[in-house]
Amino acid sequence: MCATCGCDGEGHDHEHDHGHGHAHDHDHDHHHGPGHGHVHLHGREHGRETPSDAARLRVERSVLEKNDRLAERNRGWLGARGIVAVNLVSSPGAGKTTLLERTVRDLAGRIRVSVIEGDQATSHDADRVRAAGARAVQVNTGAGCHLDAAMVERALAELDPPRGSIVVIENVGNLVCPALFDLGEQAKVVVASVPEGDDKPAKYPHMFRAARLALLNKVDLAPHVAFDDGRFDGFAREVNPALGVLRVSATRGDGLDAWYAWIESQMARVREVAPGSSSAGRKPI
């Protein structure tokens, strides 16, 4: 049982649906991402750790280190090929998949986009992205509430994205655990939506702190709901002063040019450090 989220971290089956009639099952180690040395320990007595707390801490540190090693390997594999990887995260219903479909269609002929789709079940989102024109691999997590670096490593091997392209990892809909799990991406992008409320950054500070960019989606619905732009921006700045915020509508098209410009800027940064470039050898961004 994961001490962070409570989901069963032992022996999940992960079904990769590649759209060609068969699936692969994989075991799952439950991991926590980089830079998160704190662990929520249960069963403390008057502030002191019990023996079971110490054992849990050792186990979680071990799996954290394993995930970190795999994430760095993914990052190196992607960087050597000049590939940008973006970890797209949100709560369910914020509009990640609709945004991704629109992005694939709009960037066709300009940027090659491949997708790793994370869901607990079904291949519905991968089917939608394929219909939009992208190559996609589905990763089903079963009872798990997030992707981890090992799942992404296997998915990248199956996907085999072309050099100089972008891989978008659409994580499981959840604003808690995906914030803590490094997958080897260059950046986390958190998608929030106007109907969800203007206090999302305050309620889920770890996710907004881990993200490099926030996309506030469904701005076309702002006239129909109670949403205070100033409150949202204030909470976002309080949690993460460096966080960029773009307002978009995946259906109407508002703000998407700025989103695509951000993608292109990330690709330019990765090209600068790819092998063969004058900036090769710098630490990955």
Side-chain angles (χ1 to χ4, degrees), residues 55-236:
R56 183 190 297 273
L57 182 60
R58 285 195 299 272
V59 169
E60 294 212 352
R61 282 179 174 167
S62 175
V63 295
L64 182 153
E65 291 167 359
K66 178 180 178 181
N67 186 78
D68 287 355
R69 288 194 299 271
L70 290 174
E72 284 303 317
R73 189 160 71 188
N74 290 345
R75 191 173 287 110
W77 188 93
L78 291 159
R81 291 159 178 78
I83 298 170
V84 171
V86 172
N87 186 359
L88 198 63
V89 294
S90 81
S91 58
K96 290 195 309 298
T97 307
T98 300
L99 175 71
L100 192 47
E101 288 176 295
R102 180 74 180 255
T103 299
V104 168
R105 291 193 176 101
D106 287 354
L107 294 183
R110 293 168 53 191
I111 297 174
R112 292 169 294 182
V113 182
S114 303
V115 177
I116 297 172
E117 277 290 349
D119 276 306
Q120 289 190 322
T122 83
S123 64
H124 294 169
D125 287 352
D127 294 341
R128 288 171 59 183
V129 170
R130 291 186 191 112
R135 297 175 59 200
V137 170
Q138 180 75 49
V139 181
N140 288 347
T141 62
C145 61
H146 55 83
L147 297 176
D148 64 27
M151 300 176 203
V152 169
E153 181 183 45
R154 293 190 292 264
L156 286 171
E158 178 71 21
L159 191 62
D160 191 23
R163 292 176 178 270
S165 63
I166 182 170
V167 172
V168 179
I169 305 165
E170 184 176 357
N171 219 314
V172 179
N174 179 4
L175 283 177
V176 183
C177 283
L180 307 178
F181 287 75
D182 184 14
L183 306 180
E185 73 272 14
Q186 276 72 39
K188 284 183 175 69
V189 175
V190 57
V191 181
S193 68
V194 166
E196 294 177 276
D198 50 34
D199 58 351
K200 267 292 187 287
K203 293 171 69 174
Y204 298 95
H206 296 292
M207 179 60 78
F208 283 82
R209 192 172 296 124
R212 183 175 297 170
L213 179 70
L215 299 176
L216 180 59
N217 192 25
K218 305 186 184 181
V219 295
D220 50 307
L221 298 180
H224 310 291
V225 298
F227 186 91
D228 187 324
D229 276 357
R231 273 172 53 86
F232 182 88
D233 289 345
F235 286 135

Side-chain angles (χ1 to χ4, degrees), residues 36-55:
H36 297 278
H38 67 280
V39 178
H40 300 285
L41 296 175
H42 305 281
R44 288 180 177 174
E45 298 177 358
H46 304 292
R48 294 186 300 173
E49 294 182 8
T50 67
S52 62
D53 291 335

